[in-house]
C-alpha cells in the first residue's frame, strides 16, 4: 500500500496494515521500527566546503582573463595595476561565496519547522517524546496549538482544524475528519482525513496514526526537491561569460597582428612582445566586473526602497529578462483577508455596501451576524476565524461595534462550530424573547428552514423561494465566493443543543472571498503590455482561483484553468507542449510547481516564481528568479528565493522587472563606454604600428585611463535614471549574445571616431619633432574624448531628449576626470610633456568632436 493512499482506507484496515492497536506501540515495537524506518528527520546531501565554493568563483572566463592581465602587469612592472585587478577579483569571489552560502540555508529552515516534541500513545499511555523518535505506527495526540511532527491518517476528530498553508498555500484552516475519502486522485489540500508534518492545529483535538516519517513525509519530499533543484545562471552571467570568451579571442588575435607587424618592421623580439602585451592589458576592461557589481548594488538599494529586497545580486538584472511570472494567489494577488462581497436579503442580491441601517431587515441581519460570532477586530489586530472576521468588518463598515452588540444582547449558550455539522449556534436574549441564531453551510441548512423573513414579515417558505436560495448559492459559488446562510428561531428555553438546530427562519446569505488587491489588475495589464505572461499557481480550488484570475485579467477563458490532478496525467513532454495554453494552475503540489516552471524554461522563457510556503521552496529555487513574500513567507521560501517582497504585493514584482530592464540597459551602456574607448586605443596603436610610428602611449598612460578616467564615468552611466519606455518593449532574447552584430558595429564606429581624433592629435604632436609631446597629446585627447563619450553612452537617444542634466552622476564623473587629467598635464605627472596653450586647446577641440558628431546624428538622422 502506497502511503499516499491511506486516505482511501478505513481506520481499522490502516491499523491492521501498520500492525498497531488503539493503545499504541510498545517499546519493543518502537525499537524494531526505528531500525527499519530510521529517525523522523530531514536529511540532505553533502554540502561543498566554503573553500570549494570560494575557488569555484574563479571558474568564470572573464575572471580568468583578469587574472592573466594581472600576471602580465607584474611582468611589465606594473605592480599597482596587478594589485588593483586582484583586489577586484577577490572581492567578487568573496561576494559570490557569501551569496551561495546564504542560498543553501533553505534546508536548514526546513529542518527548523519540525516540531521539537510530539505527544504519542505508547504502551497505552500518553507520553511526550522528541519529534525525531516518532515512528511509523505511532498514534499522535493532537490539540489546538500543536505542530504536527509526521504524516498520518486521522482516526479521531473533534472539531479538528489544521492550518496547512505552508504546504498547500491555502490560507484558511482545513476542517479534518476521520471518514474514508473514496476517490482515486485527491489533491493534498483535499485529503481531509490526513495530517501532514509541518502544519499545525488551530482548533479542536484528535488522534492520527503515523503513516510516514522523515524524508517520506510531504515535507521530506519538498526537502528532496529543494536539494535537487538547480539554480540557474542569470542571463547577464551567461552574456558576460560569452562576452569574455569573445573578447579574449579578439584581443589575442589583435595582439598577434601587432606583434607580427612589429617583427616585420625589424623591432626587437623582446620589445615587440612587451608592446603587444601592453596593448592586451590596455584592451582588457579590468574594472568591468567591479563596475557591474557596483551598478547592481546601487540597483538593489533603489529596489529596497520600493519594497523589493534582493538577496542575490545578479538576480537584479535577470528581472529584466523575465517573460513569465508564475504567481501565488493568496496575499500576492489578493489581500489575504476574507471580505464580504455580496448578500442575499429580502429575496434580493446586493453588494456589501448597499445595506441601509434604517432598514429593519438589514439592521437585524448585521446584528445577528455579529452575535453568532466569536471574532473581534481591534485597530491594530484581528482575532478569530477569517470568515467571522469578515462579518465583523462588515459590521464595522456600518459603524456597528461587535462588542457593544454582544453586551446589549447577552449570550446564554453556544453550540460551537463542528466540521461534521458545519454549523455554529448561539442563544441570546432579545427583549423578552430567547433567540437561537445559526450560521453555516447552505446545503446543510436548506432542509432545516421552514420560514422566511422578508420586508413583508415572517411567512412559511415556499418551494420557489427555496429554489431561489439554491440558485443564488450556486451563482455565488461559481464566482468563487464562500457562502454562509444566516437563520434564527425563537425558543422558550435558555439552553441550546444540536437538537435545537432545526425549524429555522431564513434571514439571508452572505458571500465572501479574499478579494484581489486594488493594484493587481493594473500590474497584470502592465505585464501583458511588456510582453510578460502572468500565470497563477495556487493550492486553492479551481473555481476560486479562476474567479480571481478573471477579475484581474490573468484568465480570459475558463479552458485556460487546470488542476493538479490533470497535470498528473501529462508527461513532461505533453506539459511542455501545452504549458502556454494555461494561465491558472489550481490545487497543485510542490512537484507540479517545479514541473510547470521547468516546462516554461524549456520553452526558452526566463521564469519568475512567487511563493510564501514551504511547498513553494523547490519551485522558487528552480525558477530563474524566486520571489518570496516578506510578511507571510516562511523562512524556507525566503532562503530559497532570489528576492523578497516586503509588502507581499504582485505590483512590486512589476516595478522590479522595470528596474531590472533599466539596469541591464545601463550595464550594457557602461560596457559600450568601456569597449568603445578601448577600441579607440587599439586602433591608434594599430595605426602607429602599421605606419612605423613611435608608440602613442606608455603603459602608465593606459593604466591612468583604465583605472581612473574610465571607472567613474562607467559607474555613473550605470546609475542612469530608469526609463518607463523599457516596459513598452518585449523581454529581450536571453540567447542573443551581449556582443551581437549591431552592438559590435556601434562600438566599432564610436571607437573609430575616438581613434580618429586621437590620431590627429598624435600627428600634430609629431609635427613638433618631440615624441613625448606627441604621446602626451594622444593620451590627453584619448582620455578627454572618452570622458566626453560618457554622455553619448547614457542612452541610444540624444542627451537633449533624455535630459541633459537628468543624471548628475555623469557630470560629476566627467568633472573629476577632467580635473585629474588637467592636473597631470599641468604638473607633468605620468611621463607627460608640459603642453602650451595652443596644444591644450587642440586637445579640447578634438576631444569634443565625437560627442558633437554622435549627438548631431541622433538628433537629426536617427528615427
Amino acid at each position: 500500500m502506497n502511503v499516499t493512499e491511506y486516505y482511501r482506507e478505513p481506520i481499522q484496515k490502516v491499523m491492521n496494515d501498520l500492525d498497531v492497536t488503539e493503545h499504541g506501540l510498545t517499546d519493543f515495537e518502537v525499537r524494531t521500527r526505528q531500525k527499519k524506518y530510521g529517525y523522523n528527520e530531514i536529511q540532505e546531501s553533502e554540502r561543498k566546503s566554503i573553500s570549494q565554493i570560494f575557488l569555484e568563483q574563479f571558474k568564470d572566463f572573464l575572471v580568468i582573463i583578469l587574472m592573466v592581465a594581472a600576471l602580465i602587469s607584474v611582468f611589465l612592472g606594473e605592480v599597482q595595476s596587478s594589485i588593483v585587478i586582484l583586489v577586484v577579483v577577490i572581492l567578487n569571489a568573496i561576494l559570490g561565496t557569501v551569496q551561495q552560502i546564504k542560498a543553501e540555508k533553505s534546508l536548514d529552515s526546513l529542518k527548523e519547522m519540525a516540531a521539537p516534541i510530539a505527544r504519542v500513545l505508547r504502551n497505552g499511555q500518553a507520553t511526550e517524546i522528541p519529534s525525531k523518535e516518532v515512528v511509523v505506527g505511532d498514534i499522535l495526540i493532537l490539540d489546538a496549538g500543536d505542530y504536527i511532527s509526521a504524516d498520518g491518517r486521522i482516526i479521531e476528530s473533534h472539531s479538528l482544524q489544521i492550518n496547512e498553508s505552508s504546504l498547500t498555500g491555502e490560507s484558511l484552516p482545513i476542517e479534518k475528519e476521520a471518514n474514508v475519502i473514496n476517490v482515486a486522485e485527491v489533491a493534498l489540500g483535499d485529503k481531509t482525513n490526513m495530517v501532514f508534518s509541518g502544519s499545525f492545529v488551530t482548533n479542536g483535538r484528535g488522534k492520527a496514526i503515523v503513516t510516514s516519517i522523515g524524508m517520506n513525509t510531504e515535507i521530506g519530499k519538498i526537502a528532496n526537491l529543494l536539494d535537487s533543484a538547480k539554480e540557474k545562471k542569470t542571463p547577464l552571467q551567461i552574456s558576460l561569460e560569452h562576452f569574455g570568451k569573445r573578447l579574449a579571442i579578439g584581443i589575442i588575435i589583435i595582439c598577434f597582428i601587432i606583434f607580427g607587424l612589429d617583427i616585420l618592421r625589424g623591432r626587437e623580439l623582446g620589445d615587440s612582445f612587451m608592446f603587444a602585451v601592453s596593448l592586451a592589458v590596455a584592451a582588457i576592461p579590468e574594472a568591468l566586473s567591479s563596475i557591474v557589481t557596483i551598478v547592481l548594488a546601487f540597483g538593489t538599494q533603489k529596489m529596497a526602497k520600493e519594497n523589493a529586497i534582493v538577496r542575490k545580486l545578479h538576480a537584479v538584472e535577470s528581472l529584466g529578462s523575465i517573460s513569465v511570472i508564475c504567481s501565488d494567489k493568496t496575499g500576492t494577488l489578493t489581500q489575504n483577508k476574507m471580505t464580504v462581497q455580496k448578500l442575499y436579503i429580502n429575496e434580493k442580491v446586493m453588494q456589501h455596501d448597499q445595506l441601509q441601517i434604517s432598514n429593519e431587515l438589514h439592521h437585524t441581519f448585521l446584528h445577528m451576524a455579529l452575535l453568532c460570532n466569536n471574532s473581534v477586530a481591534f485597530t491594530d489586530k484581528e482575532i478569530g476565524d477569517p470568515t467571522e472576521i469578515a462579518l465583523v468588518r462588515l459590521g464595522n463598515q456600518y459603524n456597528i461595534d461587535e462588542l457593544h452588540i454582544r453586551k446589549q444582547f447577552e449570550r446564554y449558550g453556544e453550540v460551537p462550530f463542528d466540521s461534521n455539522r458545519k454549523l455554529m449556534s448561539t442563544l441570546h436574549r432579545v427583549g423578552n424573547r430567547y433567540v437561537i441564531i445559526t450560521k453555516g453551510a447552505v446545503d446543510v441548512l436548506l432542509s432545516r428552514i421552514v420560514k422566511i423573513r422578508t420586508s413583508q414579515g415572517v411567512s412559511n417558505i415556499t418551494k420557489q423561494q427555496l429554489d431561489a436560495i439554491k440558485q443564488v448559492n450556486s451563482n455565488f459559488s461559481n464566482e468563487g465566493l464562500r457562502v454562509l446562510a444566516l437563520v434564527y428561531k425563537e425558543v422558550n428555553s435558555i439552553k441550546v443543543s444540536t437538537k435545537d438546530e432545526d425549524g429555522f427562519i431564513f434571514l439571508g446569505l452572505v458571500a465572501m472571498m479574499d478579494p484581489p488587491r486594488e493594484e493587481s489588475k493594473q500590474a497584470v495589464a502592465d505585464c501583458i503590455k511588456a510582453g510578460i505572461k502572468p500565470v497563477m499557481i495556487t493550492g486553492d480550488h479551481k473555481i476560486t482561483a479562476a474567479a480571481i484570475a478573471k477579475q484581474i485579467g490573468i484568465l480570459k477563458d475558463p479552458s485556460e484553468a487546470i488542476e493538479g490532478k490533470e497535470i498528473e496525467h501529462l508527461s513532461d513532454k505533453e506539459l511542455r507542449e501545452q504549458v502556454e495554453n494555461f494561465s491558472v494552475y489550481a490545487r497543485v503540489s510542490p512537484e507540479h510547481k517545479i514541473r510547470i516552471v521547468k516546462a516554461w524554461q524549456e520553452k526558452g522563457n526566463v521564469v519568475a516564481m512567487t511563493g510564501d510556503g514551504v511547498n513553494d521552496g523547490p519551485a522558487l529555487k528552480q525558477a530563474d528568479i524566486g520571489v518570496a513574500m516578506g510578511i507571510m513567507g516562511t523562512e524556507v521560501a525566503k532562503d530559497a528565493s532570489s528576492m523578497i517582497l516586503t509588502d507581499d504585493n504582485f505590483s512590486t514584482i512589476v516595478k522590479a522587472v522595470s528596474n531590472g530592464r533599466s539596469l541591464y540597459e545601463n550595464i550594457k551602456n557602461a560596457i559600450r563606454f568601456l569597449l568603445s574607448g578601448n577600441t579607440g586605443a587599439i586602433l591608434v596603436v594599430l595605426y602607429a604600428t602599421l605606419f612605423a610610428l613611435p608608440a602613442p602611449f606608455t603603459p602608465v598612460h593606459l593604466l591612468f585611463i583604465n583605472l581612473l578616467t574610465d571607472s567613474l564615468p562607467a559607474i555613473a552611466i550605470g546609475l542612469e535614471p530608469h526609463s518607463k519606455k523599457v516596459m513598452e518593449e518585449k523581454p529581450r532574447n536571453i540567447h542573443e549574445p551581449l556582443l551581437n552584430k549591431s552592438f559590435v558595429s556601434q562600438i566599432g564606429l564610436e571607437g573609430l571616431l575616438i581613434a580618429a581624433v586621437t590620431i590627429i592629435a598624435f600627428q600634430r604632436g609629431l609635427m613638433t619633432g618631440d615624441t613625448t609631446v606627441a604621446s602626451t597629446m594622444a593620451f590627453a585627447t584619448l582620455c578627454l574624448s572618452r570622458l566626453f563619450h560618457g554622455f553619448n553612452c547614457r542612452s541610444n537617444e540624444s542627451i537633449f531628449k533624455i535630459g541633459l542634466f537628468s543624471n548628475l552622476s555623469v557630470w560629476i564623473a566627467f568633472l573629476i576626470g577632467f580635473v585629474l587629467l588637467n592636473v597631470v598635464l599641468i604638473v607633468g605627472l605620468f611621463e607627460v610633456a608640459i603642453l602650451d596653450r595652443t596644444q591644450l586647446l587642440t586637445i579640447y577641440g578634438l576631444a569634443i568632436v565625437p560627442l558633437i558628431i554622435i549627438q548631431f546624428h541622433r538628433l537629426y538622422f536617427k528615427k
Side-chain angles (χ1 to χ4, degrees):
M1 168 66 68
N2 187 319
V3 292
T4 59
E5 295 183 0
Y6 277 121
Y7 66 90
R8 298 178 63 187
E9 299 297 336
I11 294 168
Q12 195 55 53
K13 174 82 164 52
V14 175
M15 296 185 81
N16 291 341
D17 285 350
L18 297 176
D19 194 20
V20 63
T21 69
E22 59 186 15
H23 302 295
L25 300 173
T26 64
D27 291 338
F28 174 76
E29 288 171 326
V30 168
R31 287 193 295 272
T32 304
R33 292 178 190 223
Q34 277 182 341
K35 289 178 183 176
K36 181 179 179 180
Y37 298 107
Y39 285 103
N40 179 34
E41 55 189 1
I42 301 297
Q43 300 163 359
E44 61 179 300
S45 58
E46 189 177 343
R47 293 187 185 180
K48 294 176 184 176
S49 66
I50 293 175
S51 58
Q52 283 177 305
I53 295 170
F54 180 75
L55 291 173
E56 282 182 358
Q57 308 302 314
F58 295 91
K59 286 183 179 178
D60 182 78
F61 202 81
L62 195 60
V63 170
I64 293 170
I65 290 174
L66 292 175
M67 295 290 286
V68 171
L71 192 64
I72 291 169
S73 296
V74 172
F75 281 118
L76 290 173
E78 302 295 335
V79 179
Q80 288 178 329
S81 176
S82 61
I83 289 171
V84 170
I85 295 168
L86 287 172
V87 167
V88 168
V89 169
I90 291 168
L91 282 175
N92 282 331
I94 292 170
L95 184 64
T97 303
V98 171
Q99 287 176 347
Q100 192 165 335
I101 291 169
K102 281 182 179 179
E104 289 183 350
K105 285 186 175 180
S106 51
L107 284 177
D108 295 334
S109 297
L110 201 58
K111 288 178 179 179
E112 289 171 8
M113 287 196 67
I117 59 168
R119 285 197 305 139
V120 296
L121 275 177
R122 293 263 177 98
N123 305 305
Q125 298 289 323
T127 182
E128 286 189 349
I129 60 169
S131 177
K132 66 177 287 187
E133 293 180 10
V134 171
V135 297
V136 173
D138 261 326
I139 294 177
L140 295 174
I141 301 170
L142 307 172
D143 278 306
D146 287 350
Y147 272 86
I148 297 167
S149 54
D151 291 2
R153 169 72 160 85
I154 294 172
I155 58 175
E156 195 177 298
S157 173
H158 303 280
S159 301
L160 186 64
Q161 292 185 357
I162 295 178
N163 186 312
E164 297 174 350
S165 58
S166 62
L167 289 168
T168 65
E170 192 169 346
S171 57
L172 296 175
I174 308 297
E175 297 162 11
K176 295 291 184 176
E177 57 188 15
N179 299 336
V180 172
I181 301 173
N182 202 8
V183 182
E185 295 177 1
V186 178
L188 188 72
D190 293 327
K191 292 178 181 176
T192 53
N193 60 5
M194 300 287 291
V195 296
F196 302 103
S197 179
S199 53
F200 64 93
V201 182
T202 59
N203 188 55
R205 57 189 175 83
K207 291 179 183 176
I209 182 169
V210 174
T211 55
S212 304
I213 62 169
M215 298 303 286
N216 291 321
T217 61
E218 291 298 327
I219 210 167
K221 293 173 188 175
I222 291 171
N224 260 327
L225 291 170
L226 266 174
D227 216 13
S228 60
K230 303 297 180 185
E231 293 188 30
K232 295 169 70 68
K233 285 187 176 181
T234 71
L236 181 64
Q237 287 172 316
I238 295 167
S239 291
L240 287 177
E241 203 171 273
H242 292 161
F243 160 71
K245 290 175 183 177
R246 290 186 175 197
L247 183 66
I249 293 166
I251 289 168
I252 290 166
I253 291 170
I254 291 169
C255 289
F256 268 112
I257 291 170
I258 299 292
F259 177 71
L261 288 171
D262 266 5
I263 296 295
L264 289 174
R265 271 181 50 204
R267 197 172 183 180
E268 288 289 329
L269 181 68
D271 290 343
S272 298
F273 176 75
M274 293 309 289
F275 186 71
V277 168
S278 297
L279 184 61
V281 173
I284 293 170
E286 291 92 343
L288 177 59
S289 184
S290 57
I291 287 166
V292 170
T293 302
I294 290 166
V295 171
L296 290 174
F298 275 111
T300 61
Q301 289 181 5
K302 182 179 187 298
M303 290 168 67
K305 293 175 184 176
E306 296 178 350
N307 301 312
I309 297 172
V310 176
R311 294 183 62 252
K312 299 170 187 175
L313 204 57
H314 279 82
V316 179
E317 173 276 332
S318 291
L319 285 161
S321 314
I322 287 170
S323 50
V324 178
I325 299 180
C326 298
S327 177
D328 189 23
K329 175 183 72 69
T330 307
T332 309
L333 293 167
T334 65
Q335 298 175 20
N336 196 28
K337 57 182 183 182
M338 293 297 286
T339 307
V340 173
Q341 301 290 307
K342 293 184 178 182
L343 300 145
Y344 180 67
I345 305 172
N346 197 27
E347 301 184 280
K348 293 177 184 176
V349 174
M350 59 182 66
Q351 299 297 322
H352 66 92
D353 57 357
Q354 293 179 325
L355 291 175
Q356 297 175 354
I357 298 301
S358 58
N359 184 306
E360 185 187 352
L361 203 55
H362 296 181
H363 191 263
T364 302
F365 183 93
L366 283 173
H367 277 205
M368 289 193 175
L370 296 177
L371 290 172
C372 187
N373 192 318
N374 290 322
S375 296
V376 288
F378 300 104
T379 306
D380 56 341
K381 63 178 178 179
E382 297 168 329
I383 303 170
D385 179 82
T387 55
E388 292 195 337
I389 290 172
L391 295 173
V392 170
R393 284 202 209 100
L394 180 67
N396 293 345
Q397 184 179 330
Y398 292 94
N399 297 316
I400 299 176
D401 181 78
E402 69 277 9
L403 297 177
H404 175 73
I405 294 299
R406 291 169 194 169
K407 188 175 180 181
Q408 185 179 348
F409 302 103
E410 187 180 349
R411 181 184 294 186
Y412 283 82
E414 175 186 357
V415 184
F417 178 85
D418 182 274
S419 56
N420 293 320
R421 289 168 36 250
K422 297 183 180 179
L423 302 175
M424 172 188 176
S425 298
T426 55
L427 176 66
H428 302 267
R429 182 168 182 170
V430 181
N432 297 321
R433 302 168 297 153
Y434 290 99
V435 176
I436 292 175
I437 307 170
T438 300
K439 74 172 189 297
V442 180
D443 56 339
V444 174
L445 282 171
L446 274 174
S447 61
R448 308 184 188 203
I449 297 168
V450 294
K451 295 184 179 182
I452 184 170
R453 183 170 173 179
T454 66
S455 56
Q456 304 301 315
V458 177
S459 60
N460 291 330
I461 195 162
T462 65
K463 183 180 183 302
Q464 287 80 3
Q465 287 172 321
L466 280 171
D467 290 341
I469 295 169
K470 287 179 186 177
Q471 186 59 53
V472 171
N473 178 47
S474 177
N475 294 342
F476 283 166
S477 298
N478 290 336
E479 292 175 32
L481 299 170
R482 182 169 183 166
V483 190
L484 291 176
L486 190 64
V487 297
Y488 74 100
K489 71 175 184 178
E490 293 181 15
V491 292
N492 296 320
S493 172
I494 59 169
K495 292 182 179 179
V496 62
S497 68
T498 54
K499 294 177 183 178
D500 297 308
E501 293 178 329
D502 204 352
F504 287 118
I505 302 169
F506 177 78
L507 192 57
L509 301 179
V510 57
M512 58 188 73
M513 74 184 314
D514 178 11
R517 289 177 179 265
E518 290 181 9
E519 59 273 32
S520 290
K521 189 172 184 178
Q522 183 59 50
V524 167
D526 290 342
C527 275
I528 295 168
K529 185 179 179 182
I532 300 168
K533 167 86 171 177
V535 176
M536 181 189 287
I537 301 181
T538 178
D540 215 335
H541 292 279
K542 183 176 176 180
I543 291 175
T544 306
I548 294 290
K550 192 171 183 180
Q551 283 187 49
I552 61 178
I554 287 179
L555 187 72
K556 303 297 181 188
D557 189 274
S559 63
E560 295 174 16
I562 186 173
E563 284 194 334
K565 62 184 180 183
E566 297 172 72
I567 296 173
E568 291 283 352
H569 299 292
L570 297 175
S571 65
D572 288 342
K573 183 182 177 184
E574 288 170 333
L575 181 58
R576 184 169 63 249
E577 290 170 352
Q578 297 181 39
V579 71
E580 292 176 335
N581 300 331
F582 303 112
S583 300
V584 174
Y585 296 85
R587 231 58 182 146
V588 290
S589 68
E591 292 91 343
H592 297 150
K593 292 182 181 183
I594 276 199
R595 288 186 65 200
I596 294 163
V597 170
K598 281 183 177 177
W600 278 109
Q601 288 173 332
E602 287 166 4
K603 297 283 279 188
N605 292 282
V606 177
V607 182
M609 171 77 195
T610 77
D612 56 8
V614 174
N615 62 321
D616 297 314
L620 289 171
K621 193 174 178 182
Q622 175 65 38
D624 299 277
I625 297 288
V627 183
M629 303 299 107
I631 300 171
M632 300 299 293
T634 60
E635 288 305 310
V636 176
K638 291 175 186 176
D639 289 338
S641 67
S642 316
M643 187 171 80
I644 299 171
L645 304 184
T646 58
D647 61 355
D648 290 12
N649 196 332
F650 182 82
S651 65
T652 303
I653 305 171
V654 181
K655 290 178 192 172
V657 169
S658 176
N659 286 334
R661 287 189 177 188
S662 292
L663 275 171
Y664 179 78
E665 285 301 312
N666 291 350
I667 289 169
K668 191 174 178 180
N669 288 335
I671 292 171
R672 174 157 65 94
F673 168 77
L674 293 171
L675 293 187
S676 54
N678 286 4
T679 300
I682 292 169
L683 290 174
V684 173
V685 172
L686 190 60
Y687 168 82
T689 305
L690 283 170
F691 291 95
L693 299 173
F697 314 112
T698 64
V700 73
H701 290 164
L702 297 171
L703 179 65
F704 178 87
I705 293 169
N706 276 4
L707 297 181
L708 295 176
T709 60
D710 265 8
S711 300
L712 283 178
I715 293 168
I717 290 164
L719 302 180
E720 185 70 22
H722 294 177
S723 168
K724 292 180 180 178
K725 288 185 177 180
V726 294
M727 290 303 281
E728 295 172 7
E729 302 165 3
K730 301 295 180 188
R732 77 174 188 276
N733 183 356
I734 58 167
H735 302 295
E736 185 179 335
L738 188 66
L739 285 177
N740 57 34
K741 189 177 179 181
S742 63
F743 192 55
V744 170
S745 300
Q746 190 175 17
I747 288 168
L749 287 170
E750 291 172 354
L752 187 61
L753 276 174
I754 292 169
V757 295
T758 305
I759 288 168
I760 293 170
F762 184 50
Q763 290 288 12
R764 291 290 297 269
L766 288 174
M767 288 169 64
T768 64
D770 189 337
T771 55
T772 307
V773 170
S775 67
T776 301
M777 289 186 72
F779 154 68
T781 305
L782 177 66
C783 192
L784 190 54
S785 63
R786 290 174 79 159
L787 287 172
F788 277 121
H789 188 51
F791 293 101
N792 290 325
C793 293
R794 286 178 56 193
S795 168
N796 281 322
E797 298 204 23
S798 168
I799 53 176
F800 300 104
K801 288 183 180 178
I802 61 173
L804 188 59
F805 297 101
S806 59
N807 185 358
L808 292 177
S809 300
V810 172
W811 282 97
I812 293 168
F814 172 79
L815 289 172
I816 291 172
F818 183 78
V819 169
L820 286 172
L821 174 63
N822 280 278
V823 167
V824 168
L825 293 175
I826 292 167
V827 178
L829 302 172
F830 300 132
E831 300 177 22
V832 303
I834 303 297
L835 304 177
D836 60 34
R837 183 181 297 177
T838 303
Q839 290 166 338
L840 284 172
L841 289 173
T842 301
I843 289 165
Y844 297 153
L846 286 170
I848 202 169
V849 169
L851 174 66
I852 294 169
I853 292 172
I854 290 170
Q855 290 302 314
F856 183 82
H857 176 265
R858 287 178 183 174
L859 269 174
Y860 296 104
F861 295 99
K862 189 176 179 183
K863 293 182 180 179

